[in-house]
Amino acid sequence: IWIMILRILVLLLCLYPVAGQAQISDTTEIRNCINKASYYWERNLDSSLYYIKRGHEVSTRIGYQTGVADIAISWGGYHWFRSEFAEAIGQYTRALEVSEGAHYTKGVSIALGSLGQVYSKLGDYPRAIEYYLRGLKLGLAVKNRILILNSLGVVYRKSNNPEAAQTV
């Protein structure tokens, strides 16, 4: 279920309309790098890392903070698939910080949900709940809200709090 949720979050990133200060060709390249990186997560992690680094280079070069945040989310997913959870937390935290600085609500939402997933996987349910609840406070679109509510219910159940799970 976690892989499915992670893929849906990345898909939401890919569907987010590209806007801002960069040239269309550069932002299109960044989107393509994100799409290819997530495509290769389960197929070839070396290829995934190549596209992540390429997207990071372009985003950084043009100063496109939304791209920097989205690439950090993708890099977190790369580490997730390698079971490198400390590194995933680092990338998702970076994505959260950059997204907050750029007032990029969707990036904040995805980073919070991703951090919740990692902490849930690690069995740190109080911290996972904290990140999920922060994400819900953003007043997210219905699709993101459903993903976070589902994940929050699972964490409450795993942390032996079925009453809280039923209220989600």
Side-chain angles (χ1 to χ4, degrees):
I1 188 166
W2 296 114
I3 292 172
M4 181 182 75
I5 291 171
L6 189 58
R7 283 186 180 179
I8 291 170
L9 290 172
V10 169
L11 177 64
L12 289 171
L13 267 178
C14 296
L15 296 176
Y16 188 73
V18 175
Q21 53 212 290
Q23 296 177 10
I24 295 299
S25 61
D26 288 335
T27 56
T28 299
E29 182 176 357
I30 294 164
R31 289 280 144 228
N32 287 339
C33 286
I34 292 168
N35 289 338
K36 290 176 181 177
S38 64
Y39 171 81
Y40 283 114
W41 278 343
E42 289 188 272
R43 293 167 178 83
N44 183 332
L45 284 172
D46 291 336
S47 294
S48 179
L49 184 59
Y50 167 81
Y51 288 110
I52 289 167
K53 287 181 177 181
R54 177 69 187 143
H56 177 67
E57 185 273 321
V58 174
S59 297
T60 303
R61 177 176 43 82
I62 64 174
Y64 184 49
Q65 293 304 296
T66 301
V68 171
D70 289 346
I71 288 293
I73 290 168
S74 188
W75 216 326
Y78 165 84
H79 287 298
W80 171 273
F81 276 94
R82 293 179 54 96
S83 297
E84 299 169 346
F85 300 116
E87 291 85 352
I89 289 169
Q91 288 297 330
Y92 292 140
T93 300
R94 175 170 162 67
L96 178 60
E97 292 167 356
V98 172
S99 296
E100 287 174 334
H103 305 288
Y104 176 38
T105 306
K106 190 170 200 90
V108 171
S109 164
I110 293 171
L112 288 170
S114 298
L115 283 163
Q117 286 180 352
V118 175
Y119 282 111
S120 177
K121 175 77 172 171
L122 295 173
D124 188 345
Y125 301 125
R127 190 170 273 175
I129 291 167
E130 171 191 334
Y131 282 110
Y132 287 139
L133 291 175
R134 280 180 61 192
L136 288 175
K137 288 180 184 176
L138 294 175
L140 309 170
V142 173
K143 204 171 205 177
N144 268 358
R145 206 169 162 76
I146 290 170
L147 288 171
I148 290 177
L149 285 169
N150 180 58
S151 298
L152 186 57
V154 169
V155 171
Y156 277 134
R157 183 181 47 80
K158 285 183 174 181
S159 63
N160 295 319
N161 193 347
E163 297 81 22
Q166 291 173 353
T167 62
V168 172

